[in-house]
């Protein structure tokens, strides 16, 4: 417990924490299983010359069980009585290296460990404060992450009025991430936190071991699963596309392009530098390869590259993509619905998340939310491709696309990551997008006209030159 505390509060390695404990209380931890579990828990490599201290005389001479009777001394965790296992085996300490790597990965997998309800409320309040939303109030706190709106013929004009960049829309699972000195927390759409063991060192200039880790840095991103087309090997990856706070300082009001650059400089580069240094070490103190997933910054590109993005980049992805996202380059971070953050989906992938309930006679009913209350969508029919057990969908959030020919919804999948259906206003925007039917051809024709406008032509040239200068400076 004390070694855990030292590692988390002082951002030191397991080896240093064990040594500190041994200096304060000789001979330190003398049970090999405890030592191995600590190194495994923090993804650190145990030094080859590490020697487990022998059982001290005071421990070897006499042991007392919970009832006060003398019992034989034990040197191994496996030798301890069952009641001690129950007391000391807290958390999910991995028993072997990254067992998930050998299993089939899905977007519905639950990652990390749950946290106590009292800590959950505190963490939710921290997120609200970092996003400058004030207190969560008395009601149930809602996921505060920024949400895009569907592209239609009306908001398409925003691309002419403001300067936008584009990225692909990954078909993964949305997570925010809160990094603290004692661990990282994935935040799902239900605004629940789960703790994971990962390392995020702060930026440092002189090489070697960073002095500290990030504390209250808030990120936004999506978890995807890359699959190698040849070996079919899977790898979970977290694509970070925004930075809202760094070490307790909110940056939500800064323009997106500044946040995006800070993300690379303050979060991604320090990890890459440390990982590269450790890869050259014969005795690394940390194993990045044992982390539950890899991390990278998501790419954004000039609007003039959208055609290449659609026709070359997306087809070569090793994970699914269902469209594009258009990000205002000068926009602040807007919590919840952001009318200026635009998503374009392939027409056959435009979807709505409904709450499904089975009514009388086995008839599936579709509900949305209107001002936080369920609203039955009369006249909306849904078809299940797998209709073997309609009742298995009852009470679930289902993602559906609109079949324009048959005039009904088709269930694509159950959304285990969501607790509530879409709001009625979101439904109306999606239906507007479906009705407007902005095809890939129409989108590209519109963008070709937009990038010739002075707003874009001048800034595109400046951005290209700035990028070229950055590349040259790095080569030097």
């Amino acid at each position: 417990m004390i070694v855990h505390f030292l590692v988390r509060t002082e951002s030191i390695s397991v080896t240093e924490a064990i040594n500190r404990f041994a200096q304060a209380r000789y001979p330190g931890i003398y049970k090999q299983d405890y030592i191995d579990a600590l190194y495994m828990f923090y993804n650190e490599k145990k030094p080859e010359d590490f020697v487990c201290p022998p059982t001290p005389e005071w421990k070897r001479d006499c042991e007392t069980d919970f009832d006060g009777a003398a019992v034989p001394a034990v040197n191994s965790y496996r030798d301890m009585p069952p009641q001690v296992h129950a007391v000391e085996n807290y958390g999910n300490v991995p028993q072997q290296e990254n067992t998930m790597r050998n299993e089939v990965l899905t977007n519905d997998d639950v990652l990390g460990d749950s946290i106590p309800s009292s800590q959950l409320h505190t963490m939710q309040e921290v997120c609200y404060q970092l996003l400058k939303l004030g207190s969560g109030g008395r009601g149930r706190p809602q996921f505060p992450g920024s949400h895009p709106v569907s592209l239609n013929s009306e908001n398409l004009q925003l691309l002419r009025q403001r300067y936008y960049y584009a990225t692909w829309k990954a078909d993964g699972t949305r997570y925010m991430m809160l990094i603290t000195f004692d661990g990282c927390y994935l935040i799902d759409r239900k605004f629940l936190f789960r703790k994971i063991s990962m390392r995020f060192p702060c930026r440092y200039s002189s090489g070697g071991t960073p002095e500290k880790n990030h504390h209250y840095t808030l990120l936004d991103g999506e978890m995807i699963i890359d699959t190698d087309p040849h070996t079919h090997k899977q790898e979970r990856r977290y694509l970070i596309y925004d930075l809202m706070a760094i070490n307790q300082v909110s940056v939500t009001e800064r323009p997106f392009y500044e946040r995006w650059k800070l993300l690379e400089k303050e979060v991604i580069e320090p990890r890459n530098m440390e990982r590269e240094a450790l890869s050259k070490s014969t005795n690394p103190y940390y194993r990045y390869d044992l982390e539950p997933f890899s991390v990278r910054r998501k790419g954004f590109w000039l609007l003039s590259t959208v055609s290449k993005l659609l026709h070359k980049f997306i087809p070569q992805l090793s994970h699914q993509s269902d469209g594009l996202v258009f990000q205002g380059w000068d926009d602040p971070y807007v919590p919840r619905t952001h009318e200026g953050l635009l998503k374009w989906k392939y027409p056959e992938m435009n979807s709505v998340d409904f709450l499904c309930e089975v009514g009388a006679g086995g008839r599936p009913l579709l509900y949305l939310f209107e001002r936080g209350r369920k609203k039955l969508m009369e006249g909306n029919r849904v078809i299940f491709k797998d209709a073997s057990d309609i009742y298995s969908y009852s009470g679930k959030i289902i993602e559906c696309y609109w079949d324009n020919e048959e005039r009904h919804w088709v269930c694509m999948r159950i959304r285990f990551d969501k607790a509530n259906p879409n709001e009625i206003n979101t439904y109306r925007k999606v239906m507007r997008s479906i009705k407007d039917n902005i095809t890939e051809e129409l989108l590209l024709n519109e963008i070709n006209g937009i990038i010739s406008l002075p707003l874009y032509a001048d800034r595109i040239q400046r951005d290209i030159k700035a990028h070229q200068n950055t590349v040259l400076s790095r080569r030097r």
Side-chain angles (χ1 to χ4, degrees):
M1 181 186 70
I2 294 173
V3 170
H4 269 294
F5 176 80
L6 289 171
V7 172
R8 296 179 183 185
T9 59
E10 299 195 19
S11 298
I12 60 177
S13 68
V14 171
T15 301
E16 185 176 350
I18 288 176
N19 289 338
R20 282 198 195 177
F21 178 72
Q23 291 170 6
R25 183 177 178 181
Y26 180 82
I29 299 178
Y30 51 85
K31 294 179 180 176
Q32 187 68 55
D33 286 0
Y34 287 2
I35 294 170
D36 292 343
L38 281 165
Y39 279 102
M40 186 66 72
F41 187 88
Y42 288 103
N43 303 326
E44 295 187 23
K45 183 179 179 181
K46 185 173 65 177
E48 295 179 1
D49 58 354
F50 188 96
V51 177
C52 181
T55 303
E57 289 295 329
W58 57 264
K59 185 72 173 180
R60 191 181 300 125
D61 289 344
C62 180
E63 285 282 302
T64 303
D65 67 10
F66 296 134
D67 298 320
V71 297
V74 292
N75 284 306
S76 170
Y77 183 66
R78 299 183 185 89
D79 297 330
M80 299 180 76
Q83 63 266 37
V84 179
H85 284 275
V87 173
E88 300 200 12
N89 188 26
Y90 81 97
N92 294 327
V93 179
Q95 297 302 309
Q96 59 184 12
E97 292 189 4
N98 214 346
T99 55
M100 286 297 292
R101 299 271 171 111
N102 298 321
E103 300 176 3
V104 176
L105 308 181
T106 73
N107 286 326
D108 296 327
D109 292 336
V110 178
L111 306 177
D113 301 323
S114 60
I115 64 174
S117 57
S118 57
Q119 185 185 11
L120 172 63
H121 178 72
T122 301
M123 297 300 233
Q124 289 173 337
E125 286 295 322
V126 166
C127 286
Y128 271 70
Q129 292 169 15
L130 294 176
L131 292 170
K132 297 188 175 181
L133 288 173
S135 174
R138 294 184 179 181
R140 182 179 178 181
Q142 300 295 315
F143 181 75
S146 187
H147 291 292
V149 298
S150 297
L151 190 67
N152 56 48
S153 57
E154 182 178 345
N155 60 26
L156 178 62
Q157 302 311 309
L158 288 175
L159 296 180
R160 294 177 173 271
Q161 300 164 14
R162 286 144 64 173
Y163 191 55
Y164 276 84
Y165 266 50
T167 187
W168 79 100
K169 188 177 182 300
D171 189 11
T173 305
R174 171 76 177 277
Y175 288 106
M176 293 168 65
M177 180 189 282
L178 180 65
I179 308 171
T180 72
F181 63 74
D182 69 341
C184 303
Y185 299 85
L186 286 178
I187 310 168
D188 63 21
R189 287 177 177 269
K190 300 174 185 178
F191 207 20
L192 298 178
F193 291 59
R194 295 187 71 88
K195 187 171 183 178
I196 53 174
S197 293
M198 297 188 72
R199 185 172 174 82
F200 283 87
C202 289
R203 182 166 57 95
Y204 55 103
S205 57
S206 58
T209 304
E211 295 181 358
K212 60 180 181 177
N213 291 331
H214 279 268
H215 185 46
Y216 287 138
T217 291
L218 186 61
L219 312 171
D220 206 348
E222 52 204 351
M223 193 74 69
I224 54 91
I225 297 172
D226 279 330
T227 304
D228 189 296
H230 304 293
T231 64
H232 303 293
K233 181 180 179 182
Q234 294 180 299
E235 181 180 1
R236 207 183 299 276
R237 192 186 310 278
Y238 185 55
L239 301 175
I240 310 173
Y241 51 69
D242 215 330
L243 169 70
M244 297 87 83
I246 180 164
N247 291 319
Q248 306 182 60
V249 179
S250 177
V251 294
T252 56
E253 296 177 357
R254 299 177 71 165
F256 173 76
Y257 70 88
E258 288 188 14
R259 303 196 306 273
W260 194 59
K261 290 177 181 177
L262 276 173
L263 170 59
E264 181 71 16
K265 183 178 181 181
E266 302 289 345
V267 179
I268 302 299
E269 285 186 1
R271 273 178 59 91
N272 291 342
M273 288 175 62
E274 184 180 53
R275 182 169 56 239
E276 183 179 358
L278 291 175
S279 68
K280 300 174 182 177
S281 172
T282 56
N283 190 25
Y285 56 83
Y286 186 76
R287 294 278 302 276
Y288 273 95
D289 60 306
L290 296 182
E291 291 185 335
F293 49 83
S294 60
V295 171
R296 71 169 52 172
R297 182 182 68 161
K298 194 178 184 189
F300 286 80
W301 293 276
L302 294 164
L303 215 57
S304 55
T305 65
V306 167
S307 179
K308 291 181 180 179
L309 194 56
L310 285 170
H311 299 145
K312 293 184 178 181
F313 182 83
I314 290 179
Q316 294 177 357
L317 285 171
S318 50
H319 59 269
Q320 295 296 315
S321 170
D322 54 5
L324 300 171
V325 173
F326 297 98
Q327 169 72 56
W329 206 232
D330 304 310
D331 284 0
Y333 187 88
V334 179
R336 303 195 176 97
T337 301
H338 181 6
E339 298 292 344
L341 183 59
L342 309 174
K343 63 178 178 181
W344 174 85
K345 285 190 173 185
Y346 297 105
E348 67 276 12
M349 292 185 178
N350 256 320
S351 62
V352 173
D353 297 327
F354 294 98
L355 168 63
C356 177
E357 292 185 359
V358 179
R363 175 171 167 259
L365 304 175
L366 298 178
Y367 292 85
L368 293 172
F369 263 21
E370 185 173 32
R371 297 177 181 176
R373 296 184 178 181
K374 289 196 315 182
K375 177 180 177 61
L376 176 63
M377 300 303 292
E378 295 280 4
N380 282 262
R381 294 191 306 119
V382 61
I383 301 298
F384 298 92
K385 294 180 180 179
D386 177 17
S388 58
D389 184 10
I390 297 297
Y391 287 92
S392 66
Y393 295 94
S394 186
K396 306 290 196 311
I397 306 298
I398 59 173
E399 182 178 4
C400 306
Y401 72 86
W402 178 251
D403 188 322
N404 204 39
E405 293 184 1
E406 299 294 332
R407 311 298 295 176
H408 61 222
W409 294 99
V410 180
C411 178
M412 300 165 63
R413 58 171 174 160
I414 296 175
R415 292 296 300 267
F416 292 102
D417 60 320
K418 298 190 72 173
N420 300 317
N422 286 145
E423 290 281 345
I424 187 68
N425 287 335
T426 300
Y427 165 83
R428 289 169 180 156
K429 290 171 184 175
V430 173
M431 294 306 297
R432 168 72 184 275
S433 180
I434 292 172
K435 180 182 177 181
D436 288 352
N437 192 27
I438 300 178
T439 63
E440 181 178 317
E441 182 180 2
L442 288 173
L443 178 66
L444 291 177
N445 286 339
E446 184 72 17
I447 287 176
N448 285 336
I450 290 173
I451 59 178
S452 63
L453 298 173
L455 168 66
Y456 276 90
D458 296 341
R459 287 193 65 169
I460 285 175
Q461 290 303 315
R462 291 205 305 269
D463 284 355
I464 290 175
K465 289 180 180 179
H467 175 70
Q468 291 172 342
N469 291 335
T470 300
V471 172
L472 286 174
S473 63
R474 286 178 178 175
R475 289 177 179 174
R476 290 170 185 168

